[in-house]
Amino acid sequence: MAELLFDVNLQQLPDEFLNGNWRVADRVLNRTDPTSMLAQAERFALQPGKVEVQALTGQDAGQWQIQRDELLNRPYLELILGQERTRALVTRLRRSRNGAESQLNLYFQSGMEMQLTQP
């Protein structure tokens, strides 16, 4: 049975809450190129400063970091991959009390929306 998930205050989001292996549970492409690595991604592995993206068509690796806007302190996930560089607003993060289960919602510059889950 799935654990109860609680919303994390995004203005106080610790970077380490994003670490781990994430599975793409849902996505809406909008204006995003459907052939891009991120549009086809199935899994993300986020480790401190490093990211690996796996898709059916291949994989890519690079770096990631959290940036915050000055006005509202909203967190943005910046991804710097070999083939792409983009930012995504973290719109929601939900976690179980023990951190074993999580849901992460991202809104990319291209308009793509993505929901990631752990485990």
Side-chain angles (χ1 to χ4, degrees):
M1 183 167 128
E3 291 199 36
L4 188 60
L5 300 179
F6 298 92
D7 284 312
V8 173
N9 180 341
L10 297 178
Q11 293 176 326
Q12 299 172 359
L13 172 68
D15 291 5
E16 58 268 12
F17 277 18
L18 300 183
N19 288 335
N21 295 314
W22 294 90
R23 179 182 59 82
V24 177
D26 192 26
R27 98 181 86 228
V28 177
L29 294 180
N30 293 323
R31 299 179 313 271
T32 302
D33 175 6
T35 64
S36 73
M37 177 65 68
L38 289 175
Q40 295 181 10
E42 297 293 324
R43 298 197 176 276
F44 287 81
L46 296 173
Q47 299 308 322
K50 298 179 182 178
V51 61
E52 290 182 24
V53 178
Q54 295 179 349
L56 294 175
T57 58
Q59 62 184 27
D60 201 353
Q63 301 173 345
W64 72 278
Q65 65 181 354
I66 292 289
Q67 295 181 336
R68 297 186 178 276
D69 67 24
E70 293 181 22
L71 185 60
L72 298 174
N73 203 36
R74 293 178 299 194
Y76 287 85
L77 175 64
E78 181 179 25
L79 297 169
I80 304 166
L81 300 168
Q83 300 175 14
E84 291 182 72
R85 181 182 187 141
T86 190
R87 282 181 10 149
L89 176 64
V90 177
T91 58
R92 186 176 202 183
L93 176 63
R94 304 183 83 212
R95 288 173 47 105
S96 60
R97 286 199 190 277
N98 65 6
E101 293 184 40
S102 299
Q103 288 180 345
L104 175 63
N105 291 51
L106 301 172
Y107 184 78
F108 287 83
Q109 289 174 312
S110 64
M112 177 172 60
E113 299 173 58
M114 189 178 287
Q115 183 181 65
L116 306 176
T117 60
Q118 285 182 335

